[in-house]
Amino acid sequence: MVQIAVRIFRSFSYPFNCKFVILAYHMLSLTIKFSATIIIYASYINFNLKGLIIIVKISVLDYAVIDEEKDAVTAVKEAIELAQHAEALNFSRFFVAEHHDVKSFASSSPELLMMKLLDETNDIQIGSAGVMLPHYSPLKVAENFRMLEAFHCGRVNLGFGNTFGTAKIQRAMDTKKADFDYEHHIDTLQQHLTNASNITVHPETSSAPSMWMLSTSERSAKLAAKLGVGYIFGLFPYASTDKIPTGRRAIKQFKEMFQPSKTNETPITIAAVFVVISDTDEKAETLANALDVWLLGKNNFNEFEYFPSVETAKAYDYTDDELKRMKANRTRMVVGSKETVKAKLLDIQNELSADELLIIPLMPGFNNRKHALTLIHEAFNL
């Protein structure tokens, strides 16, 4: 009974607006006759009674990576296969990114890719991580995500951020940086999504997508709490030695200040990090070298035509300064075997008091990324 309930429960996220969710809730609320009371939290499940059951809610963020000797069409098709693999392995959510003018990433329009991913999967939550709000009107974003919600009630996650991108992208997308008000943009978007604006936003739906703010700061954590949206703290965007203390404070403040909304009823927090995982620590280190060289970010991450392979990384001629930067960038990732990675991820979750984990398997080779999900599944017994 418990296993069935867990599977039903994990396919939904707050707010619970769709059929059959109440059934899952009541199944999970049944009293389990052990010597201790098991409390099942709404945001995630993490029992540990003498090793009986351990379930950590883990999601995936994919960039539709274009590997060497492949093309963008292949990359988006591989994103679909990776999402299907994630669903089969019981990952909770599958997010896709938004990147423009980056040669090695094909995920330029997360909303359109999300529709295909939703169509090609059954239960897993599908989301953006994220839509960059400075480029778009709140109304258009709301219409796109209401359309997704109409076809896939209760499975749509609207992750968003406020990155402006390069000057070239700002010009190309007619982004008006001086006029952008992040709080107003989010608030207006939320009103459109929940039938609270003075505009009819079609398709009208009885439920709304959940909303998630991508963040690296305490300031945005407070804003997320004020507006009542979920909070994703990113350890991956920048190299830093103080990100754990910053994340701990941000998540604490978010949970203390959170105001429930029509899109998010509970203060769920997610910690996001690059993960490079393989069968052994040594193999993982070899794969991580490719991420090391890519994160140098030369020419606005367009030094390479494709995401660099292990061989390209080995042949790269590093300067002393680049080696220092590569060492600093290791604060953005977790590298190792499944045993090593599991221990490090649990440390991050515990140190930040995050409800969930979001892994970003930014590794060369689709088979390596797919195998990475298998190893995480095995490590955490998803």
Side-chain angles (χ1 to χ4, degrees):
M1 175 68 78
V2 175
Q3 290 178 347
I4 294 172
V6 166
R7 284 184 176 274
I8 295 174
F9 181 81
R10 291 177 59 189
S11 66
F12 297 94
S13 67
Y14 283 96
F16 292 142
N17 291 313
C18 301
K19 295 179 180 179
F20 308 121
V21 183
I22 294 175
L23 170 63
Y25 174 81
H26 285 303
M27 291 172 71
L28 278 173
S29 299
L30 292 174
T31 301
I32 303 174
K33 295 180 179 179
F34 288 117
S35 59
T37 300
I38 296 177
I39 300 174
I40 300 177
Y41 291 93
S43 57
Y44 70 104
I45 307 166
N46 191 355
F47 315 157
N48 191 1
L49 290 182
K50 299 181 179 179
L52 177 65
I53 248 178
I54 299 176
I55 301 177
V56 179
K57 207 165 186 180
I58 303 179
S59 301
V60 180
L61 170 57
D62 185 54
Y63 293 175
V65 177
I66 307 173
D67 290 302
E68 292 180 3
E69 300 183 3
K70 293 189 178 182
D71 58 25
V73 174
T74 300
V76 293
K77 290 179 178 178
E78 288 177 343
I80 297 169
E81 185 176 342
L82 195 63
Q84 292 169 332
H85 189 56
E87 179 172 56
L89 297 178
N90 295 324
F91 284 84
S92 296
R93 313 174 201 270
F94 190 91
F95 290 97
V96 287
E98 175 180 330
H99 284 281
H100 303 284
D101 194 33
V102 178
K103 294 177 181 178
S104 55
F105 294 159
S107 182
S108 59
S109 180
E111 307 95 322
L112 291 179
L113 182 53
M114 282 175 63
M115 180 61 86
K116 185 64 175 175
L117 295 176
L118 287 159
D119 287 342
E120 296 292 335
T121 54
N122 298 307
D123 300 313
I124 190 170
Q125 299 277 305
I126 300 293
S128 58
V131 172
M132 293 300 115
L133 296 185
H135 300 317
Y136 314 108
S137 74
L139 175 60
K140 189 58 182 175
V141 176
E143 289 174 336
N144 286 340
F145 278 81
R146 287 282 286 268
M147 186 67 72
L148 294 173
E149 182 72 13
F151 284 105
H152 299 280
C153 174
R155 295 180 58 205
V156 181
N157 291 237
L158 169 50
F160 58 86
N162 63 345
T163 299
F164 286 87
T166 63
K168 180 167 64 171
I169 289 301
Q170 291 177 47
R171 290 193 298 271
M173 301 192 76
D174 196 26
T175 303
K176 296 177 174 58
K177 189 173 182 178
D179 299 330
F180 182 70
D181 183 330
Y182 195 31
E183 180 175 349
H184 178 71
H185 224 76
I186 300 167
D187 183 51
T188 303
L189 171 58
Q190 194 172 50
Q191 289 182 44
H192 288 326
L193 286 172
T194 58
N195 302 315
S197 69
N198 60 358
I199 297 174
T200 300
V201 182
H202 279 306
E204 290 188 305
T205 56
S206 59
S207 60
S210 60
M211 296 178 68
W212 300 89
M213 179 184 289
L214 280 63
S215 166
T216 59
S217 71
E218 296 174 64
R219 179 181 178 182
S220 55
K222 294 176 183 178
L223 178 59
K226 176 182 178 181
L227 297 175
V229 300
Y231 184 67
I232 301 177
F233 182 80
L235 291 91
F236 65 95
Y238 309 104
S240 169
T241 57
D242 65 348
K243 60 183 61 184
I244 292 295
T246 299
R248 186 186 302 118
R249 291 191 301 270
I251 285 175
K252 183 176 184 294
Q253 292 176 61
F254 170 79
K255 290 184 175 181
E256 291 175 349
M257 300 173 64
F258 183 81
Q259 298 295 316
S261 69
K262 291 182 179 180
T263 58
N264 299 68
E265 295 178 358
T266 56
I268 302 177
T269 59
I270 302 177
V273 64
F274 287 129
V275 170
V276 180
I277 184 172
S278 192
D279 297 315
T280 66
D281 288 339
E282 292 74 20
K283 289 182 179 179
E285 281 293 333
T286 300
L287 292 171
N289 290 337
L291 181 55
D292 287 333
V293 68
W294 188 84
L295 285 177
L296 291 174
K298 290 183 178 179
N299 191 24
N300 291 317
F301 293 95
N302 278 320
E303 178 182 8
F304 303 99
E305 291 292 322
Y306 308 94
F307 192 81
S309 64
V310 168
E311 292 72 24
T312 297
K314 285 182 179 178
Y316 197 84
D317 186 17
Y318 304 101
T319 66
D320 290 340
D321 180 64
E322 287 169 345
L323 289 172
K324 291 178 181 178
R325 289 171 58 199
M326 287 165 58
K327 183 178 180 181
N329 278 332
R330 283 302 180 101
T331 63
R332 305 164 69 178
M333 65 182 88
V334 170
V335 180
S337 64
K338 64 183 180 182
E339 294 81 9
T340 300
V341 167
K342 178 181 180 180
K344 291 180 179 179
L345 288 177
L346 288 176
D347 283 345
I348 289 172
Q349 183 184 20
N350 291 332
E351 289 184 40
L352 295 181
S353 295
D355 298 317
E356 305 178 17
L357 293 168
L358 175 59
I359 65 164
I360 310 164
L362 190 51
M363 305 159 55
F366 176 66
N367 288 335
N368 290 324
R369 294 189 290 277
K370 194 172 179 180
H371 186 50
L373 301 196
T374 300
L375 292 174
I376 292 291
H377 164 82
E378 293 172 354
F380 287 89
N381 192 27
L382 297 179

